Amino acid sequence: MNAKRWLWSGLILALLIGACVPAATPTPTPSPVPPTPTTVAPAPSPTPAPAGPTPTAAPPTPTPAVPGAPAALKIGIVTFLSGPAASPFGVPARNAAEVLIENLNAGKAPAPYDQKGIGGVPIQAIYVDEAGGAEKQVAEFRRLVLEEKVDLVIGYISSADCLAVAPVAEELKTLTVLFDCGTNQIFEERDYRYVFRTHAHQVIENVGAARYILRMKPNLRSIAGINQNYAWGQDSWAAFRDSVRKLKPDVQVAGEHFPKLFAGEYSAELSALLAARPEVVHSSFWGGDLEAFVIQASPRGLFQQSLVVLTTGDTILPRLGRDMPKGVVIAARGPHGVLAPKTPLNDWFVKIYKDRYVVRPVYPSYHIAQAILGVKAAYEKAIAANGGKWPTGDQVIAAFEHLEFETPSGTIRMALGKGHQAVEPVVLGITGDFDPATGEVKLTDVMEFPAECVNPPDGMKTPDWIAQGFPGAKCP
Amino acid sequence: MNLHRLGGLILIALFVGLGLLLPGWSRFLLTLALARGLLVLGVVLLMQAGLVSFGQGLFFAAGAYAVGFAMRDLGIRDAFLGAILGAGAGLGIAALVGPLLARYRGIFFAMLTLAFSMIFYGILVKAYRITGGTDGLRIAPPTFLGWSPPEAQLGSVLYLFTLVGVGAMVFLIFRYLRSPLGYTMRAIRDNEVRVEYLGLSVSRALYLAVLLVGAMGGLGGALSAMSVGHVDPNLAYWTTSGEFVFVALLGGTGSVFAPLAGSIVFEFLRTYTYKYFPYTWQMGLGLIMLVIVGFAPGGLWTLYELIARRMSGWSWSWKRGA
Amino acid sequence: MERRGMEQLAIILIDGLVYASWLFLISAGLTLIYGVLRILNLAHGSLYAMGAYAAASAVLFYFDRGLWPPGSYVALLGAALIIGIVAGPLIERGLLRWIYGRDPVYQLLATYALFLILEDGMKLVWGVNPYYAYKPYGLLGTVQLAGIPYPGYSLLLIGVALLASGGLYLFLHRTRVGRLVVAIIHDPEISVALGANVPRLFLLTFTLGAILAALGGAFTAPMISVVPGLSVEVIVLAFAVVVIGGLGSLEGSAIGALLVGVVRSLMVHRIPELELFAIYLVMALVLLFRPQGLFAIEEVRRV
């Protein structure tokens, strides 16, 4: 018995020691060539760092020599790989990053991204699971920067994670591109130097949705909402309700429902909505909750009774296909997915994604593509500005601020938050017939609200902007 | 006893040294592990009386949010005040729920603590005008009695601050467990009815224990919040509490240092399972847990005890030989 | 106005009943297992999720073959039975039998470990992409009740819960094996002394509990998209219901499910702000007045 115990204890000890040994590596030395103390890309080590089993190895391509360039640009990519947000958001984003980075490294992307990797330097991605909460993510961020020595981090779907990580990015002076989180707080509460967000925040699609339904139903009398009981749902509903009532003050609110996140069962809420008979129902549900809601609402006739607005509806179109109910207003947090513009870049993106993963990319895939292409555009602009030499961190940041770059979702402008926050237009449409030829749902009444219409001017907080009646908004 | 003192000194020197030598990210993990260790210590304390708290997240979140509110609404950035407020918040909540909790045993105690922490979670999510909802609250870097350390040193200072706070708490618990009250706890576990026949009040002893656990948990929450710089309702979610119970058993219940050791091992274990098994880290943790349950029910502390016994056995025979 | 009030009440009760049926299905197995094995199975939610995954796969397979649509309900049932009959004995023989009689903390931890392992195990088997098996949900059409349409499937759910509870009642009180199980629930030591084959009864009970959990998952699958993370949500709900009803008591969990279902539905319709707290409020209130739950099994206090 004792011997057995010893054996097992020894085994556990060995395991633990094994786990802790890399922790004993010495403190990372500061960058050898720091022109200023604030470099974004610390210590581009001449030898590739020992790679764990996760990073996708970058192919050793003969690169057009950029003087001072590292062997590879290490990017930490943080997205949900487990938990309920993995399948609707995390994995489509990871998939898009994987296929896009492969193609960029091979130099197969169309112009203006036809240079291999980033400025000829291959991208090396390290994927990290976003699960575990903000506390865990702060620790993981520190580990990515200080131990894995990534040059920059692209990541975060959860708003809480974005809010928690952004100050740490400033502290560690590491370029960090937030790719999918929705909260409008980040750049409206304080300024950041190292943090960028290459997509618009969540408020805009609710402002856009409010304008859209008033175009569709100018005599609107009553609205109701069913949103998940957490910040995303609460903020989305508040923005939608306040926008509608600002644009048409006599609209009544016939019900505000906030079922638990991941509840999955909405029979009672649906009864309440059916009994209240509102003209418009707003929902910012996503993922499994959204699908469950559509599945349960459709036989009960909610979509016939009321005009339902699904602000993340794009993500379920490829999944429900011909079973998607008709006459539902769909948005995609910007011009993404089926609502993306017809451009060669978008066609190419959809093609490489579909070739690998069969289904169409959804908005989280577009969002991460925006982040990666934004980083590429910023670096390459900085290289050009630096006379063809590899840029310092400050130069990359200077190039990134107020950048305009092409993406599958159209041109992205970093217009807000002193050039750190992107603006996007909002596109909405109504589901129509299923087209068996393309395997996709046709959208009718597609309407685009340009960025100037749905984004507040720089320096103004979004809730104030709505409360004051959208000053400065230029709408068609 | 002297050996213990010496060991304690070595331990303190080791921790201080570690904090100053380790790279930033692992020092941060260590800080977090120490702060969370207080919650784990709370679990272990209640286990002395045979109770399992599945709601440590309640005190954890209370302490963390106390710091958050103090910073946002009162402009209090001082770390000492924050720590006191955190402990006070934990104590206050414990004083509220304690009388009820002290009536329950076994699985009901576990479920009721879980229910309370989930109600608190619900309030934090729901009252988002006040609490920031699931987005949580940001916490600015703290100051220390008017001194705000430079950014590069902040991590080390916070680590030392946490170390002192945790050390003081561990010492307190160490004394408590050796006091009559501490022995009462173990007596309750063995046979509650007999304790009552001896003229001791079981519910009073348990209430005091819950108060202590609450204050300690609040302090842990406050310390962790100051290091992380952000609080969100997940701190009160039941899986957070479940983790504390897991760490308690990982460390073992044999000593007041076991929970801290367990907590430190767990943080690093989790970080590396994350790194090497990004898709199956839960399975890895589960397997380790099964190994503990099956083969090392005393947790990691059994290891230490085995070594200590060997050592003392060895020195004893050596003395005999001499 | 009077009529509207009555309609409102009817809607609240129907919604409550639908939710209660679902709660009963997910919690009955848990309480049964606790009653006999004295183990609070934290991996109960995983069995539910496996049931959901298996049912979704079965239904998709069934419709791919283009078979007679109403037969898909048999596929749901079959999937639940297979999961229960395969996973139940595997877990009981492979893990639980080693921890009988151990400190409850270790039992909780072992089942928690199992929950973590199964969580990733399911991802390895079914991947992270969602499964949709919503065809059976729409097949039964809708029924007009109290002025609003209800899906026939909700009524089916009530039927399944009633059948499950009726079947359990008959099994426990009208068969020899069932009576032995009841005997163990009430007094394990005497039952053993009287010669009950405990290992076999434990195996049987756990398998039965696993089937119930999988059944709950299987009949939920058509209403939702089956994704990773289902188990976590279900565990807490099931625990709350079981604790309200009294651990180990089937009648208790039925009443507990009804209570929670109706209170929650009342809150959704009347005070939606409090919906999140409904179940915990009921639990705290019940425990306040009946510390062991509504139908607690008497425990002997040792002096």
Side-chain angles (χ1 to χ4, degrees), chain A residues 87 271 291 296 300 319 323, chain C residues 15 128 132 134 142 149 223 225:
Chain A
S87 96
S271 297
E291 285 142 15
Q296 290 166 31
R300 296 182 74 174
R319 302 210 178 127
D323 294 309
Chain C
D15 285 334
V128 294
Y132 303 100
Y134 48 82
T142 55
M223 304 169 24
S225 84

Side-chain angles (χ1 to χ4, degrees), chain C residues 23-292:
Chain C
L23 281 177
F24 176 74
L25 281 180
I26 61 169
S27 57
L30 188 68
T31 200
L32 183 68
I33 290 171
Y34 182 83
V36 177
L37 280 67
R38 292 295 143 121
I39 286 180
L40 202 52
N41 180 20
L42 277 169
H44 194 72
S46 311
L47 289 166
Y48 162 90
M50 284 197 285
Y53 266 116
S57 313
V59 166
L60 287 176
F61 181 80
Y62 187 88
F63 279 99
D64 273 352
R65 292 281 166 291
L67 299 170
W68 184 56
S72 57
Y73 298 110
V74 181
L76 286 179
L77 199 65
L81 283 175
I82 290 171
I83 285 292
I85 289 168
V86 173
L90 264 179
I91 294 171
E92 202 275 339
R93 289 287 92 186
L95 177 68
L96 296 186
R97 72 168 158 145
W98 303 104
I99 55 170
Y100 290 138
R102 292 275 297 272
D103 194 320
V105 183
Y106 289 103
Q107 297 178 337
L108 273 182
L109 203 67
T111 55
Y112 184 50
L114 184 65
F115 155 75
L116 288 177
I117 293 169
L118 289 178
E119 195 74 346
D120 276 349
M122 278 185 273
K123 259 195 291 180
L124 292 179
V125 175
W126 281 286
V128 294
N129 283 323
Y131 280 68
Y132 303 100
Y134 48 82
K135 290 251 164 61
Y137 189 73
L139 278 183
L140 294 175
T142 55
V143 185
Q144 205 74 17
L145 288 175
I148 56 168
Y150 275 93
Y153 194 83
S154 295
L155 304 182
L156 178 77
L157 205 64
I158 298 177
V160 171
L162 283 177
L163 271 180
S165 55
L168 273 175
Y169 181 85
L170 287 180
F171 167 70
L172 290 177
H173 298 283
R174 294 281 181 275
T175 65
R176 206 187 91 82
V177 183
R179 284 178 179 149
L180 278 174
V181 169
V182 175
I184 290 191
I185 291 180
H186 285 281
D187 200 326
E189 282 169 15
I190 298 283
S191 323
V192 174
L194 292 176
N197 184 348
V198 173
R200 227 194 59 193
L201 285 175
F202 275 20
L203 178 63
L204 182 87
T205 311
F206 190 81
T207 309
L208 198 60
I211 292 175
L212 280 171
L215 200 66
F219 277 90
T220 312
M223 304 169 24
I224 60 171
S225 84
V226 185
V227 286
L230 277 182
S231 2
V232 193
E233 296 307 312
V234 163
I235 287 177
V236 183
L237 285 178
F239 275 162
V241 170
V242 165
V243 168
I244 290 168
L247 279 166
S249 159
L250 273 172
E251 298 88 336
S253 66
I255 303 284
L258 268 177
L259 204 59
V260 172
V262 172
V263 170
R264 177 179 168 275
S265 148
L266 186 70
M267 288 189 172
V268 169
H269 285 277
R270 290 276 141 188
I271 4 176
E273 292 79 27
L274 288 184
E275 190 228 311
L276 195 66
F277 307 107
I279 192 162
Y280 301 108
L281 282 179
V282 174
M283 179 159 141
L285 279 177
V286 166
L287 288 189
L288 205 59
F289 294 105
R290 288 193 62 93
Q292 308 282 304

